[in-house]
Amino acid sequence: MTYNIFLDNINIGFSKLEKADPPMGVVFGNINFTNKNLDYNFFSNYCKINSIKAEESSEDHFISTQTIPNLKVFNEKGTEIKGIGCYITGQDSEEFEITIIGIPYPFFEEEFSNHLIT
C-alpha cells in the first residue's frame, strides 16, 4: 500500500511505510518526494520558521526532526494514520524517512497487518 504525505496540506510525496516496530505502534519508510527541492535546507528552514526542534548537521546535510504537527499521512482510502508523533529524518546524499510513532491498537492491527507476526 502507498501512503500519501502532506505538509501544511500540500502533498510532498509518498511512502510505503515498509518498516515497523509493532509493539511500539511505530511504522516508518522511505519518502519519495514530489518535488526535488524538498531537501535538508527545506526541512531545516521549515523547522526554524515553525519552532520545531531538530538535530542537524549542516556539514553533512543531515536532519532529524522532532514531531512536526502539520505533517500528516493518509492511506489510499483517505484515512489519516494518527499516532502521537510524526517526524522526518534524512540526509541529502541518502534518503529521507518518515516515522509515525504511537499508532493505537486496534487501528495498527487493521492497517498494518502485514507487519504483524502471524
Side-chain angles (χ1 to χ4, degrees), residues 25-63:
V26 175
V27 293
F28 53 105
N30 294 333
I31 302 173
N32 296 292
F33 290 115
T34 56
N35 183 329
K36 295 192 186 300
N37 293 325
L38 298 172
D39 58 6
Y40 163 79
N41 288 323
F42 172 84
F43 289 109
S44 178
N45 290 334
Y46 183 90
C47 288
K48 288 173 185 153
I49 290 167
N50 292 283
S51 300
I52 297 166
K53 292 183 181 179
E55 292 188 29
E56 55 184 299
S57 167
S58 58
E59 182 178 310
D60 296 326
H61 284 227
F62 170 83
I63 191 163

Side-chain angles (χ1 to χ4, degrees), residues 46-101:
Y46 183 90
C47 288
K48 288 173 185 153
I49 290 167
N50 292 283
S51 300
I52 297 166
K53 292 183 181 179
E55 292 188 29
E56 55 184 299
S57 167
S58 58
E59 182 178 310
D60 296 326
H61 284 227
F62 170 83
I63 191 163
S64 180
T65 73
Q66 289 192 356
T67 295
I68 301 174
N70 291 329
L71 183 63
K72 304 203 182 291
V73 180
F74 296 87
N75 68 14
E76 293 170 345
K77 297 175 189 170
T79 303
E80 184 178 353
I81 312 304
K82 292 183 182 178
I84 59 171
C86 188
Y87 58 90
I88 290 177
T89 302
Q91 187 172 7
D92 282 350
S93 63
E94 296 181 12
E95 294 186 340
F96 284 82
E97 275 189 342
I98 187 163
T99 302
I100 307 169
I101 60 172

